[in-house]
Amino acid sequence: MALIDKSEIREVTGISQVERKSIMNFLQGAVYCWCKNRKNEWFSMWDLMGGDNYYWDGTPLLVLYTKHENKGKDSEQAVKDAGKDSGWLLKKTVHEDIRYFESKKEELTRKYRWVDRK
């Protein structure tokens, strides 16, 4: 598998397989863009889809927020929990990729970096 440093990978529940695959394809595209444009730099879910990219409407990620909102969570908690789910899906995406990535945890944030093995 693609993660050099092995650690737990959790399944995200409450979404369909089609939704999961769509999210993972979307995240893989974001990862490949990062690796092309910011080679050798660490990235996290926040770097890819947080900050200026926090607005998930029109992306496959919105189902994660909607899932938590439908459970009766307020907006703030739904955002936090959707962020956690998206982080697990990013980890699974990187883990299943054909490229190699190293990973580290800084405080509560999982980060990744592409390792070019040419």
Side-chain angles (χ1 to χ4, degrees), residues 27 30-31 34 38 41-51 53 56 83 86-91 94 101-106 108-114:
L27 292 176
V31 168
W34 181 277
R38 302 186 76 162
E41 289 186 38
W42 291 93
F43 65 91
S44 67
M45 187 63 191
W46 173 258
D47 296 311
L48 301 177
M49 298 295 149
N53 282 336
W56 289 359
S86 69
W88 286 112
L89 288 168
L90 174 61
K91 188 174 189 180
V94 168
F101 293 86
E102 56 187 342
S103 117
K104 66 180 180 179
K105 194 163 187 182
E106 288 183 351
L108 296 176
T109 303
R110 174 68 57 184
K111 295 188 173 195
Y112 308 93
R113 181 169 60 183
W114 176 41

Side-chain angles (χ1 to χ4, degrees), residues 13-26:
T13 60
I15 60 173
S16 72
Q17 285 294 342
V18 170
E19 291 168 330
R20 179 178 288 102
K21 187 64 178 163
S22 181
I23 290 169
M24 290 176 67
N25 288 340
F26 181 74

Side-chain angles (χ1 to χ4, degrees), residues 65 68 74-85:
Y65 173 81
H68 291 288
D74 64 38
S75 180
E76 184 178 334
Q77 191 61 49
V79 166
K80 286 180 183 178
D81 290 346
K84 290 175 187 175
D85 284 348

